[in-house]
Amino acid sequence: MEKVTFLNPEFFWLFLLLPLAIVWLFWKRKQQSATLKISSISGFKTSKSFLASLKPFLNVLRLLALSSLIIALARPRTVDISNQTKTTKGIDIVMAIDLSSSMLAKDLRPNRMEALKEVASNFVDARPNDRIGVVVYTSEAYTKIPVTSDKAIVKEAIKDIKYNSALQDGTGIGMGLTTAVNRLKDSKAKSKVIILLTDGVNNAGFIEPETASEIAKEYGIKVYTIGLGSNGMAEFPYAYAPNGKGFLYKMMPVEIDEQLMKTIAKNTGGKYFRANSNSKLESIYKEINKLETTEIQELKFYDYDEKYRPFVWIAGILLLIEILLRNTVFRSFI
């Protein structure tokens, strides 16, 4: 009887009538048997009958039968619920990430790149029903992972992002955006989104960012842009350390082409954000997660197992036993 529910629990109020029934049966107990009045019983042999002492037990059977009927009327049952979810409007998302050396700046902790990787990985976890891809860019761009529903692969690709000195340094925003558009242009998803992140100005590549945004617009792709970095000065890498391990840092001015990022977002129906701290970057990805919602249809199947029948049988058997005993063992001959 685990996880039993009742379809008509209001019938339990009938239990309040049982005390009245007990009082009524107690009051009428002497009228339930025939009586014989005689002037004297001095000539009769008297003894306490064991059966006579058990006769009130018939009323107990009746009360138990009534209790079982009340429980049956309340319709006890168990339910087995199975869920089936169906994505009715999926979203394809590409994260285009700046991979220039300035992403090693330490105004976010431990640096911009590591902070972004952690937040981006959490963002992937929050999109279980969508396909996600990753594009990275410096002066050139390439696809780190194409759009896929395998979140483990996407998270592994994000974890593997690191600065590569073999790539020509620079910030080719137009190149990164065009590569991301190329990953989405043939998508059959109902909604296509690019999250474009940079911490600098467009100073490399042969495709203008404005041109790339027009291409995105033509394909119905919405672009959310993020300018990453603190305002004013930041601790930037400017040279390799003498031992060849790591970088030397110094305070340098932060320069982000916010107007360009706003224009790209506006042209494509997206939105521009400025992330100047770890917490702000995290809140931006949470906001994008809320803005781009995936419609999910959930179907629930209920399998009810009715439990009232045993109580009906119990009530019937108890009433039958009472009737049989009352008309046999406890039958009155007067």
Side-chain angles (χ1 to χ4, degrees):
M1 296 295 288
E2 293 183 1
K3 299 181 180 178
V4 174
T5 60
F6 295 90
L7 180 62
N8 304 310
E10 60 274 9
F11 279 103
F12 284 126
W13 288 104
L14 293 176
F15 276 113
L16 296 177
L17 298 178
L18 290 185
L20 296 177
I22 293 171
V23 172
W24 185 83
L25 289 172
F26 180 78
W27 183 57
K28 290 286 187 177
R29 69 188 187 283
K30 293 183 179 180
Q31 301 179 21
Q32 293 178 358
S33 300
T35 58
L36 175 64
K37 294 181 179 180
I38 57 177
S39 59
S40 175
I41 59 170
S42 58
F44 292 92
K45 186 178 181 180
T46 61
S47 63
K48 185 73 174 180
S49 172
F50 176 72
L51 287 178
S53 63
L54 290 179
K55 192 170 184 179
F57 180 69
L58 297 177
N59 293 330
V60 175
L61 293 177
R62 185 176 301 182
L63 291 173
L64 290 175
L66 288 174
S67 298
S68 294
L69 284 175
I70 291 172
I71 295 173
L73 288 171
R75 289 286 295 276
R77 59 183 184 175
T78 58
V79 58
D80 180 28
I81 304 176
S82 58
N83 294 339
Q84 179 180 345
T85 58
K86 178 183 178 183
T87 303
T88 58
K89 186 178 284 188
I91 299 176
D92 278 358
I93 301 171
V94 170
M95 291 186 282
I97 299 172
D98 188 345
L99 204 59
S100 59
S101 59
S102 59
M103 285 291 289
L104 300 175
K106 295 183 176 180
D107 49 349
L108 275 71
R109 299 300 174 192
N111 58 46
R112 293 176 179 178
M113 189 175 295
E114 293 303 318
L116 169 65
K117 286 163 63 174
E118 180 180 353
V119 172
S121 183
N122 292 337
F123 177 80
V124 172
D125 287 333
R127 311 294 303 188
N129 302 295
D130 301 316
R131 300 198 307 163
I132 299 177
V134 179
V135 166
V136 294
Y137 66 93
T138 53
S139 60
E140 51 189 321
Y142 66 92
T143 301
K144 186 74 173 175
I145 186 76
V147 286
T148 176
S149 58
D150 192 332
K151 302 305 185 297
I153 292 178
V154 177
K155 291 178 67 176
E156 187 62 31
I158 293 172
K159 182 181 178 181
D160 190 51
I161 291 175
K162 56 182 177 291
Y163 173 71
N164 188 348
S165 59
L167 297 174
Q168 184 179 348
D169 203 7
T171 303
I173 296 174
M175 299 294 289
L177 181 54
T178 302
T179 303
V181 169
N182 192 51
R183 304 313 312 181
L184 289 176
K185 63 184 180 66
D186 297 323
S187 170
K188 303 299 182 183
K190 296 290 184 181
S191 182
K192 295 173 281 188
V193 172
I194 293 173
I195 302 175
L196 177 66
L197 182 140
T198 186
D199 65 347
V201 298
N202 185 66
N203 57 18
F206 54 85
I207 300 177
E208 293 297 323
E210 294 86 353
T211 303
S213 69
E214 290 298 327
I215 298 173
K217 183 178 179 181
E218 285 295 320
Y219 284 106
I221 300 171
K222 186 186 298 183
V223 182
Y224 291 100
T225 57
I226 302 175
L228 182 63
S230 57
N231 295 312
M233 304 289 287
E235 196 175 357
F236 267 67
Y238 69 93
Y240 283 102
N243 59 7
K245 297 180 181 180
F247 296 86
L248 297 176
Y249 288 82
K250 66 179 179 179
M251 297 301 293
M252 297 175 64
V254 173
E255 185 180 6
I256 298 176
D257 193 344
E258 291 193 90
Q259 187 55 51
L260 172 62
M261 303 298 278
K262 290 177 181 178
T263 300
I264 293 173
K266 183 178 180 181
N267 287 346
T268 59
K271 189 176 179 180
Y272 169 69
F273 302 92
R274 179 63 184 269
N276 51 22
S277 67
N278 293 60
S279 58
K280 182 63 176 176
L281 179 62
E282 184 177 2
S283 67
I284 288 170
Y285 272 87
K286 286 182 179 179
E287 184 172 349
I288 295 174
N289 185 45
K290 291 178 182 178
L291 289 171
E292 294 297 330
T293 57
T294 301
E295 294 181 12
I296 304 296
Q297 183 182 36
E298 182 177 20
L299 301 176
K300 285 189 175 183
F301 300 93
Y302 296 84
D303 183 18
Y304 291 102
D305 184 12
E306 299 287 349
K307 300 294 186 182
Y308 70 89
R309 294 180 182 86
F311 293 97
V312 175
W313 278 102
I314 290 172
I317 292 171
L318 290 174
L319 287 175
L320 181 61
I321 292 173
E322 185 208 355
I323 293 171
L324 289 174
L325 291 176
R326 194 177 295 277
N327 289 279
T328 55
V329 177
F330 298 102
R331 183 179 178 181
S332 174
F333 295 95
I334 298 178

